[in-house]
C-alpha cells in the first residue's frame, strides 16, 4: 500500500512539474494573420511563425513594404491582441537573418 501511495505521489509531482512548459491553447495561424493584416493593408506576407518570446507565445508576421523594407507585426497567440509592430530597413533585416543562421 505504501508503494502505491508513493507511486501516485511521484506521478502527481511529475505531471505538475511539466504543466508549466506545455503550450497553452492558441488562436489559429489564419486568425492571427487576419489580425496582423489590419496593420499591413496591401502588403505582401513574407514570413510567419509561432514562437515563444520572453515567456509568451506570439505569432510573428513579416510583411514586405513597397520600398523593400519589412514590417513585422506580432500577435499574442493566446489573446489575439497585437503586441508589437516594427519597421526594419533592408540592412537591419539582413543583419537579423545572419544572426539567425549563426544560431
Amino acid at each position: 500500500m505504501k508503494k502505491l501511495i508513493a507511486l501516485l505521489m511521484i506521478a502527481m509531482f511529475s505531471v505538475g512539474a511539466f504543466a508549466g512548459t506545455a503550450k497553452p491553447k492558441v488562436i489559429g495561424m489564419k486568425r492571427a494573420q487576419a489580425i496582423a493584416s489590419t496593420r499591413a493593408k496591401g502588403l505582401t506576407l513574407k514570413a510567419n511563425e509561432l514562437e515563444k518570446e520572453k515567456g509568451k507565445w506570439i505569432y510573428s508576421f513579416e510583411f514586405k513594404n513597397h520600398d523593400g523594407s519589412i514590417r513585422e507585426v506580432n500577435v499574442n497567440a493566446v489573446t489575439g491582441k497585437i503586441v508589437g509592430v516594427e519597421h526594419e530597413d533592408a540592412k537591419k533585416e539582413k543583419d537579423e537573418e545572419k544572426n539567425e543562421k549563426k544560431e
Side-chain angles (χ1 to χ4, degrees), residues 72-103:
E72 182 177 341
V73 181
N74 296 321
V75 177
N76 182 300
V78 176
T79 66
K81 293 185 179 182
I82 294 175
V83 293
V85 178
E86 293 181 35
H87 300 277
E88 301 174 350
D89 60 19
K91 183 184 181 318
K92 186 177 178 183
E93 179 67 13
K94 278 186 177 182
D95 291 343
E96 207 172 85
E97 286 177 6
K98 281 182 187 178
N99 289 334
E100 286 178 4
K101 286 180 183 177
K102 288 179 182 177
E103 294 173 3

Side-chain angles (χ1 to χ4, degrees), residues 6-24:
L7 286 173
L8 286 173
M9 290 182 70
I10 290 171
M12 288 172 50
F13 286 119
S14 296
V15 170
F18 293 111
T21 61
K23 184 174 72 170

Side-chain angles (χ1 to χ4, degrees), residues 29-39 61:
M29 179 71 77
K30 285 184 181 181
R31 177 72 182 124
Q33 184 175 332
I35 293 167
S37 293
T38 64
R39 296 288 182 95
F61 297 92

Side-chain angles (χ1 to χ4, degrees), residues 49-72:
E49 68 178 324
L50 174 62
E51 60 185 339
K52 193 169 188 179
E53 189 173 280
K54 297 180 184 173
K56 296 186 181 191
W57 286 98
I58 64 163
Y59 285 104
S60 177
F61 297 92
E62 291 184 3
F63 296 91
K64 188 171 184 177
N65 288 312
H66 301 293
D67 64 359
S69 63
I70 299 296
R71 182 178 308 178
E72 182 177 341

